[in-house]
Amino acid sequence: MGSRKNFDIKAYLVVGPENTLGRDPVEIIRAAIEGGFTFVQIRSKEASARELIHLTCRTAQLLEEMGVAEEVSLVVDDRLDVVLAAREAGARVDGIHIGQTDIPASVCRKYLGPDAIVGISAATQDLFHYVQYEDVADLDYFGAGPLRYTETKPDCGLDEEGNFRSRSLEELTELARLSSLPVVVGGGVKLADIEDLRATGVDGFFVVSPVAGAEDPHGAARDLVDAWERR
């Protein structure tokens, strides 16, 4: 794992210090991995660069200590500077996740190298255009959504007029069919949604609050993974 040729986005945790109800994000990440999560994204719009670098390095160290650095991928949201600084400090950071208005994927690829994971997220409707007409050579997966409104990213799903629009299972089924890259879906996803999401043909789900905000993060993570893997 940990390279663009070999990673698993079936159970994808997005987490930052503001999401954990005052608890150490690294302990939340540990609980999620013990519960079966396979992908971690460090994301915070509030933490400073130094705080993000420190959290990223601690997370990379955790993955090494748990012996899962080859099985669980670690990326940082948006911040190429944080990825580069953490790598400079000796941390194994597998890549970056960007939005369509963030730093270009080609720049990320240039600085992170040919084996790095580069993911991109956008509203599902935008991704329909992207998967059909844009060059995806520098990308490795799509993050789609939102399934419904979420407090952790309230601007997600707003159209040009500022109106919220969720994404139907039918749209996600079509996106999964059209996409040449793996698709992970999030944005308000709950345990009760997992079975229906899997049936669309997407490759995984991402969550924040259902694990990071849970009273029992390990149990919540295990329940989500079990639901995804249930046949």
Side-chain angles (χ1 to χ4, degrees), residues 65-81:
E65 291 173 353
M66 294 180 72
V68 297
E70 295 294 331
E71 289 81 39
V72 178
S73 300
L74 172 62
V75 301
V76 176
D77 179 59
D78 191 21
R79 299 293 298 269
L80 180 60
D81 57 336

Side-chain angles (χ1 to χ4, degrees), residues 125-201:
Q125 198 61 39
D126 295 334
L127 286 177
F128 277 114
H129 179 273
Y130 209 99
V131 301
Q132 294 179 88
Y133 303 113
E134 299 292 337
D135 181 2
V136 299
D138 289 317
L139 296 171
D140 301 298
Y141 70 87
F142 291 119
L147 195 64
R148 61 174 61 84
Y149 180 80
T150 171
E151 289 287 351
T152 58
K153 200 170 183 184
D155 59 340
C156 185
L158 297 182
D159 62 20
E160 293 180 355
E161 287 75 42
N163 300 310
F164 176 78
R165 186 180 170 208
S166 62
R167 304 301 159 180
S168 70
L169 295 172
E170 290 76 19
E171 285 178 303
L172 295 173
T173 300
E174 181 68 2
L175 180 64
R177 186 185 70 81
L178 290 171
S179 179
S180 62
L181 298 177
V183 177
V184 61
V185 176
V189 169
K190 296 178 171 55
L191 177 60
D193 301 314
I194 298 298
E195 183 178 353
D196 287 339
L197 270 184
R198 173 148 190 158
T200 67

Side-chain angles (χ1 to χ4, degrees), residues 24-47:
D24 184 353
V26 175
E27 291 309 308
I28 301 296
I29 293 166
R30 180 194 300 275
I33 293 169
E34 289 175 345
F37 270 60
T38 56
F39 207 106
V40 177
Q41 179 192 134
I42 303 299
R43 183 183 81 187
S44 177
K45 303 304 181 185
E46 299 179 7

